[in-house]
Amino acid sequence: MTSPASGRPLRADALRNRAKVLAAAEEVFAVQGTSASTEEVARKAGVGIGTVFRHFPTKESLLEAVLVALLERLAGEAEELRSAADPGEAFFGFFSRVVSRAATKQAVTEALAEAGVDARAATGRAGPGLRAALGALLERAQEAGAVRADVGAAEVMALLAGMSYAAGRAGAREDVLRIAFDGLRPCPDRAAARG
Amino acid sequence: MTSPASGRPLRADALRNRAKVLAAAEEVFAVQGTSASTEEVARKAGVGIGTVFRHFPTKESLLEAVLVALLERLAGEAEELRSAADPGEAFFGFFSRVVSRAATKQAVTEALAEAGVDARAATGRAGPGLRAALGALLERAQEAGAVRADVGAAEVMALLAGMSYAAGRAGAREDVLRIAFDGLRPCPDRAAARG
DNA sequence: GAAAATACGGAGCAAAGACTCCACTTGTCA
DNA sequence: TGACAAGTGGAGTCTTTGCTCCGTATTTTC
């Protein structure tokens, strides 16, 4: 996505500015949440507001671009872990890394939430990418017996979003994650415990 | 809280209006989220904006009043379950009832999040009430062996907030809750699963 | 039932934020 | 290097929203 939908490629300076805006937006939204103003983003990027709106015609489209970038990066990280030695550690490690990142970056939580629902059109494109990558991690962990067999990628995504939210608010991140992880692990006499 | 902090009791019509505003605010915030406008609340309550601001000098104070009412009601429900026959069912039933309510009422999730952090002054008063009531439910469930012994009320609150958030976004509420509940249950050979 | 106290309603104010417009600058291409 | 297309910046517009102010209406008190 380095050129406008139809027509010539972007001019060099425009390309540079677009990147600056995107980077600034990601940082601003991460710190202040997605309700931060467009002007704040422009200031951080060192460009005029007009420039921001030239590249992203609405605030929503800017936000969308940021979320997509975030999701793609997460998906990439998951992808890399696909061939890790320990599938269980790969899965749980990825999960907790995402959650701990969400604790400081509000935008991550929102991206995950959006990805789960794929409400927005564009995140609808990136969401499945993450879901697929996470799904692969999940499957390998299940085959290795590190994760119970009766959960799917969708539930794990939802759990991930929920835990990210909780991490951003309450303290005790590790303790809450421990509960979720134990819930994900196989447990032979679970039936007994339920009864 | 039916009279002003210092001075005479409220006039009869004022008391009535205050109640109408609070009820309207709860409904509006539940449906539209806490970013709904004060004017919307006034319209729903059938009073002028001036009246809303007379009773709640800032929007924040109105929101706070709604959240406190919500938390107190939840705490009350938890209290009632204190002497239920089956402590495990009481605990898990309460938990899932809260989550399913949060699925349709955004304000519930926010109230829980606030209660966990007790960031706001006033919810700081009501938050501990819920925490205590939930803690009592938790303890009884633990004594009955339905919940693992090594979790505290704080973690459960955080988990509750996270699950409420997840429920409001993704579908698959039951499936995600199942994971969380299994994580909360005792499981003798958990150590083995972790290794 | 009149006077005083209290409350009501909604026009209007001020601040914030999304977005537009256009005179000016910068990159590109022949 | 000149000409033109492309991009920039930020003052200004429009809308929304929290909140105030005060003339009018309702309750309470005696």
Side-chain angles (χ1 to χ4, degrees), chain B residues 77-123:
Chain B
E77 285 179 36
E79 208 80 47
E80 278 179 26
L81 288 168
R82 223 165 170 156
S83 49
D86 184 337
E89 190 180 314
F91 175 80
F92 287 113
F94 176 72
F95 197 117
S96 70
R97 208 165 330 121
V98 171
V99 171
S100 78
R101 198 175 312 169
T104 41
K105 297 196 174 188
Q106 283 198 50
V108 172
T109 303
E110 298 191 37
L112 291 171
E114 295 294 337
V117 198
D118 62 343
R120 287 167 207 260
T123 43

Side-chain angles (χ1 to χ4, degrees), chain B residues 18 20 28 39 41 87 91 100 123 139 141-142 146 156 163 181:
Chain B
R18 199 194 135 93
K20 278 199 287 186
V28 169
E39 200 173 345
V41 172
F91 175 80
S100 78
T123 43
E139 248 177 77
Q142 286 173 321
V156 173
M163 292 298 95
F181 284 2

Side-chain angles (χ1 to χ4, degrees), chain A residues 5-92:
Chain A
S6 63
R8 306 265 157 88
L10 280 180
R11 234 167 65 173
D13 58 341
L15 214 58
R16 227 178 306 136
N17 278 334
R18 200 192 134 92
K20 279 200 287 187
V21 168
L22 212 54
E26 186 167 333
E27 187 174 340
V28 169
F29 289 150
V31 174
Q32 304 184 21
T34 55
S35 63
S37 75
T38 314
E39 201 173 343
E40 184 70 32
V41 172
R43 204 177 310 136
K44 190 117 204 165
V47 303
I49 324 175
T51 299
V52 175
F53 279 100
R54 156 166 290 267
H55 289 290
F56 305 94
T58 64
K59 189 193 171 177
E60 176 141 358
S61 70
L62 172 60
L63 183 54
E64 212 168 79
V66 169
L67 298 187
V68 168
L70 228 43
L71 290 176
E72 283 176 349
R73 210 173 314 150
L74 288 182
E77 285 178 36
E79 207 80 48
E80 278 178 26
L81 288 169
R82 225 167 167 152
S83 49
D86 184 336
E89 190 180 314
F91 175 80
F92 288 113

Side-chain angles (χ1 to χ4, degrees), chain A residues 109 113 117 148 150 155 158-159 162-163 165-166 169-170 175-176 178-179 182-183 185-190 193-194, chain B residues 109 113 117 148 150 155 158-159 162-163 165-166 169-170 175-176 178-179 182-190 193-194:
Chain A
T109 303
V117 198
R148 59 200 281 186
D150 63 343
E155 286 113 281
L159 192 67
M163 291 299 96
Y165 181 76
R169 307 280 165 147
D175 297 320
V176 183
R178 190 189 49 168
I179 299 173
D182 284 344
R185 291 202 178 84
C187 179
D189 40 39
R190 187 124 53 195
R194 275 205 206 104
Chain B
T109 303
V117 198
R148 57 198 283 186
D150 63 343
E155 287 113 281
L159 192 67
M163 292 298 95
Y165 181 76
R169 307 279 165 147
D175 297 319
V176 183
R178 191 191 46 167
I179 299 174
D182 282 346
L184 284 169
R185 291 202 180 83
C187 178
D189 39 42
R190 187 124 54 194
R194 276 206 206 104

